[in-house]
């Protein structure tokens, strides 16, 4: 069964303290791995799509990487405005549906 | 380029009632999918429509049904509402299945 697990569930950082979020997945034929940011009461906002192991993408203070079993979202020198829930999801070659993890809630304190 | 818009933003219904939620896809997107997100959880796939045909369904009972219209807008209908149906309902659209989903802001449904 296709499955996504994110860790940690919650993460508190001081402003400027870099860290990484983990997304482990099992899927029958990965089509794509997605990272989204979600603010309270709002819909997920697209960050990155990764398609193959070894691929990396960057956007401002965020960098996403992909291996055959997991993905990392690295946050460099975070700011309070980076506080949000970060969701990881995959799609398989069999279906187009997104399978989400439970998310990591990040809080960055000034 | 307009994004995905959902209506209404908030809704309160009584157990046993029926509800219809609406979604306008992003321009150029022919695939729409619906998700249910309980508090503190990741979104759960309900179903997906491609060119007006349902082509995927998650573990939701038949009282959850939907439609996609020729202009690619969509509806989610839920009959016989239960308290556990209280959640944020998200619509997402894509140019092609499995790639680049854009989400709306969601409809917060509360069943009392």
């Amino acid at each position: 069964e296709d499955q996504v697990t994110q860790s940690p569930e919650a993460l508190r950082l001081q402003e400027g303290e870099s860290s990484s979020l983990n997304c482990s997945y099992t899927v029958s034929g990965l089509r794509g791995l997605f990272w989204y940011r979600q603010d309270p009461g709002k819909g997920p906002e697209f960050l990155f799509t990764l398609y193959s192991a070894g691929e990396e993408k960057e956007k401002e203070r965020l960098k996403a990487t992909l291996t055959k079993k997991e993905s990392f979202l690295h946050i460099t020198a975070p700011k309070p405005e980076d506080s949000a829930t970060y969701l990881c999801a995959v799609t398989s070659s069999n279906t187009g549906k997104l399978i989400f993890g439970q998310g990591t809630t990040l809080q960055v304190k000034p | 380029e307009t994004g995905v818009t959902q209506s209404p933003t908030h809704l309160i219904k009584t157990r046993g009632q029926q509800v219809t939620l609406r979604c306008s896809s992003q321009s150029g997107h022919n695939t729409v999918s619906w998700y249910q997100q309980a508090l503190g959880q990741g979104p759960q796939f309900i179903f997906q429509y491609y060119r007006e045909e349902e082509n995927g369904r998650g573990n939701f009972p038949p009282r959850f049904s939907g439609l996609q219209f020729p202009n690619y807008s969509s509806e989610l209908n839920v009959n016989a509402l239960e308290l556990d149906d209280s959640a944020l309902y998200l619509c997402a659209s894509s140019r092609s299945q499995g790639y680049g989903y854009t989400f709306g802001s969601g409809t917060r449904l509360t069943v009392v």
Side-chain angles (χ1 to χ4, degrees):
Chain A
E1 181 181 345
D2 299 340
Q3 191 171 349
V4 176
T5 303
Q6 292 186 245
S7 62
E9 288 188 10
L11 182 61
R12 289 185 178 180
L13 299 174
Q14 289 295 130
E15 184 172 2
E17 180 186 2
S18 301
S19 188
S20 297
L21 282 55
N22 177 263
C23 171
S24 297
Y25 65 91
T26 55
V27 64
S28 52
L30 178 71
R31 180 178 291 181
L33 184 140
F34 302 79
W35 283 98
Y36 287 88
R37 169 192 169 126
Q38 187 175 30
D39 293 303
K42 296 193 175 181
E45 175 190 345
F46 173 78
L47 294 174
F48 303 109
T49 307
L50 302 168
Y51 294 107
S52 58
E55 191 174 357
E56 300 182 352
K57 288 191 177 174
E58 289 188 66
K59 179 181 178 181
E60 297 180 355
R61 295 177 293 282
L62 300 176
K63 179 180 177 179
T65 62
L66 180 65
T67 72
K68 289 186 178 180
K69 294 183 178 181
E70 58 190 350
S71 176
F72 292 94
L73 184 65
H74 307 278
I75 303 177
T76 302
K79 297 182 178 181
E81 53 262 42
D82 294 322
S83 298
T85 295
Y86 291 85
L87 294 166
C88 173
V90 298
T91 54
S92 73
S93 55
N94 296 328
T95 73
K97 67 179 183 180
L98 285 164
I99 301 164
F100 281 89
Q102 77 276 26
T104 293
T105 299
L106 172 66
Q107 184 180 28
V108 182
K109 294 191 171 183
Chain B
E1 179 175 86
T2 58
V4 176
T5 57
Q6 293 187 240
S7 63
T9 54
H10 296 85
L11 201 53
I12 299 175
K13 288 286 189 177
T14 303
R15 188 173 52 181
Q17 285 188 316
Q18 178 266 342
V19 68
T20 297
L21 310 182
R22 294 181 172 83
C23 171
S24 293
S25 302
Q26 184 166 324
S27 177
H29 288 189
N30 57 23
T31 301
V32 66
S33 50
W34 286 88
Y35 293 81
Q36 180 194 66
Q37 187 176 25
L39 207 59
Q41 301 296 316
Q44 297 293 314
F45 175 74
I46 302 175
F47 44 58
Q48 178 169 280
Y49 281 83
Y50 172 68
R51 293 186 175 179
E52 303 177 58
E53 296 286 330
E54 183 182 302
N55 74 339
R57 189 175 183 90
N59 294 325
F60 282 82
R63 60 188 185 86
F64 285 78
S65 63
L67 284 172
Q68 186 183 28
F69 299 101
N71 65 355
Y72 300 133
S73 65
S74 177
E75 287 183 354
L76 165 65
N77 299 292
V78 187
N79 294 321
L81 284 167
E82 300 178 359
L83 297 179
D84 286 348
D85 295 333
S86 296
L88 181 68
Y89 287 86
L90 297 163
C91 172
S93 71
S94 172
R95 290 184 186 278
S96 178
Q97 300 173 70
Y99 299 95
Y101 290 90
T102 302
F103 280 83
S105 294
T107 294
R108 170 68 64 187
L109 173 64
T110 302
V111 182
V112 297

